[in-house]
Amino acid sequence: MWGAVDQEIKGGLKIIEDENREKYPVKASEQNVITFSDESGKAFYSFPVFYNGMTPEKIDIQTPTSYATNWIVSMDGKTFTQKSTGGSTGDATIQKRMPFTIKTLNDDYVLVYMEGWEDMGGNKNISEIDASMLWMQCDGEKGKINLMIDEYSPNTSWGEPESRTGYVLAFSRAEYEDIKDNLEETIVENGEIAYKYEQRNLLIAFIQKEVKEETEDKSFKIKKGGWEDVTPSKTTDQSILELLKGNYYIDDVYSISANAGEYFSIYPLLSESEWSGTAYVINTRDENVTVNTEVSMDGDGMYFGITLPNSFEEDLIVVFKGTDMLFKKALVITPAY
């Protein structure tokens, strides 16, 4: 830098981020200086410069896919699978170890391992796993880590569940110290990881269970009047597809035709861990529509029941929202003119 005599100028140290350099402070020393001198170099003065590093509470996490949720881990712990979800780039499969990159000040972060469970009343809970009981672990250094899951062989005769749910979160040391005394109360809300921490700190949420090959149709199972099977077809209406893709990140869209006043039981063919009964009815203008609905369960699983209005002259769209707060699929119900 340079300037004219008696002209005030400003100088300083700029850290060029490269996913690594910004993590580490720079101390003031004889080597880290900015020197001002005249043109001849006979008169000069040096100022020490320093850098405190990135904000202590800040943490940046890179996961293998766009979403940290909706992962399935095989019973032997060696295969991680994530099915395509609206807004993602497709199915993902990772073998043996799940890689992550964590960026925080001085690589000083804390990993928190948690497990989901249900109480006697069927209420969902999430608790931190005691260090002596861990069945998942990470290795690595300088923010490059790999997650490994132990094999799961439940003894169902002793009441152990056929599957188990796990969560791994990462916190900067500064943030962890602030919340560690009330950790579960802070990051868990109503049996789920609070949205704030899911978006910023969650590395992975997964279910470890037996993975069965799926060969049957996974669109919808639909019964008219509660008993007559109805077969849906893929939606081809581009305006509806664009609406659902743009506003709900849904690619999986099917349709049926129906008459006013008819009742349908709609089974989205999602597991209880994927869908707990949340669905919305909208029109093609993305406005909520008030109709008679119910959520119930029978021998075929959980379903969403809908009675079409007596005045049924425009398409209705039922969008299904998963337990991970992402929309999964949609059914368009078209008037049968």
Side-chain angles (χ1 to χ4, degrees):
M1 64 185 70
W2 61 87
V5 176
D6 294 328
Q7 177 184 353
E8 181 179 346
I9 62 173
K10 293 183 179 180
L13 172 68
K14 181 178 181 180
I15 299 298
I16 305 300
E17 294 191 5
D18 64 354
E19 301 301 324
N20 185 60
R21 183 183 292 115
E22 61 270 23
K23 296 189 294 184
Y24 308 112
V26 176
K27 295 182 179 179
S29 68
E30 294 181 358
Q31 289 74 39
N32 298 321
V33 297
I34 293 178
T35 300
F36 295 88
S37 70
D38 61 12
E39 291 184 358
S40 65
K42 294 180 180 180
F44 61 88
Y45 192 86
S46 296
F47 296 87
V49 294
F50 62 93
Y51 169 61
N52 288 329
M54 61 189 294
T55 305
E57 292 80 14
K58 185 178 180 181
I59 189 167
D60 292 329
I61 294 172
Q62 294 181 12
T63 57
T65 62
S66 301
Y67 299 102
T69 56
N70 210 34
W71 285 94
I72 303 294
V73 178
S74 59
M75 296 295 273
D76 62 8
K78 294 182 179 180
T79 303
F80 299 76
T81 305
Q82 186 185 58
K83 292 296 184 182
S84 176
T85 306
S88 69
T89 56
D91 294 354
T93 300
I94 297 174
Q95 299 294 335
K96 296 184 179 179
R97 297 168 178 238
M98 174 80 80
F100 302 98
T101 300
I102 302 172
K103 184 172 71 173
T104 191
L105 179 65
N106 277 325
D107 295 316
D108 191 10
Y109 54 84
V110 179
L111 298 175
V112 175
Y113 301 94
M114 309 191 79
E115 184 173 18
W117 54 281
E118 290 188 0
D119 59 25
M120 296 297 290
N123 300 307
K124 292 183 178 181
N125 300 273
I126 299 177
S127 300
E128 185 177 9
I129 304 175
D130 185 271
S132 64
M133 302 292 288
L134 281 177
W135 44 273
M136 43 183 153
Q137 52 278 323
C138 291
D139 64 10
E141 60 182 8
K142 294 188 178 297
K144 304 288 186 180
I145 67 171
N146 294 285
L147 170 69
M148 295 159 288
I149 307 297
D150 292 347
E151 181 178 0
Y152 184 46
S153 301
N155 188 330
T156 54
S157 62
W158 289 0
E160 293 182 347
E162 295 181 351
S163 64
R164 59 184 177 183
T165 302
Y167 306 84
V168 184
L169 299 97
F171 295 89
S172 67
R173 174 67 62 180
E175 183 176 20
Y176 179 76
E177 291 298 323
D178 285 340
I179 66 175
K180 66 179 182 180
D181 293 335
N182 295 288
L183 186 67
E184 293 177 11
E185 294 85 349
T186 300
I187 66 178
V188 178
E189 291 182 353
N190 301 318
E192 303 287 348
I193 301 297
Y195 181 78
K196 169 184 175 181
Y197 297 103
E198 176 188 310
Q199 295 296 304
R200 189 178 66 197
N201 303 95
L202 184 65
L203 296 180
I204 185 174
F206 67 90
I207 299 174
Q208 188 173 17
K209 65 179 183 179
E210 183 178 357
V211 180
K212 299 179 180 179
E213 185 175 355
E214 299 177 350
T215 57
E216 72 275 17
D217 176 32
K218 296 297 289 183
S219 56
F220 287 93
K221 180 180 179 66
I222 302 172
K223 297 179 183 178
K224 183 169 72 171
W227 61 274
E228 181 182 349
D229 288 335
V230 176
T231 302
S233 59
K234 273 282 191 180
T235 298
T236 58
D237 188 314
Q238 286 302 310
S239 62
I240 291 178
L241 291 173
E242 290 174 4
L243 166 70
L244 294 171
K245 176 70 173 179
N247 293 5
Y248 297 89
Y249 303 105
I250 295 177
D251 295 308
D252 207 7
V253 185
Y254 294 81
S255 63
I256 61 171
S257 60
N259 296 300
E262 291 181 329
Y263 173 84
F264 292 89
S265 303
I266 306 169
Y267 303 77
L269 302 180
L270 299 169
S271 68
E272 290 184 36
S273 63
E274 295 175 300
W275 183 65
S276 59
T278 302
Y280 304 96
V281 182
I282 61 173
N283 58 26
T284 56
R285 297 179 296 281
D286 199 15
E287 301 168 335
N288 290 325
V289 178
T290 301
V291 292
N292 291 327
T293 63
E294 65 173 345
V295 176
S296 190
M297 181 177 291
D298 60 17
D300 291 320
M302 187 180 298
Y303 65 86
F304 181 80
I306 180 171
T307 300
L308 299 179
N310 292 326
S311 177
F312 178 46
E313 299 178 348
E314 65 174 353
D315 293 347
L316 295 181
I317 307 171
V318 184
V319 291
F320 292 81
K321 189 175 186 179
T323 55
D324 58 4
M325 308 306 290
L326 300 174
F327 290 98
K328 300 297 185 181
K329 54 172 60 177
L331 179 69
V332 182
I333 305 176
T334 302
Y337 296 114

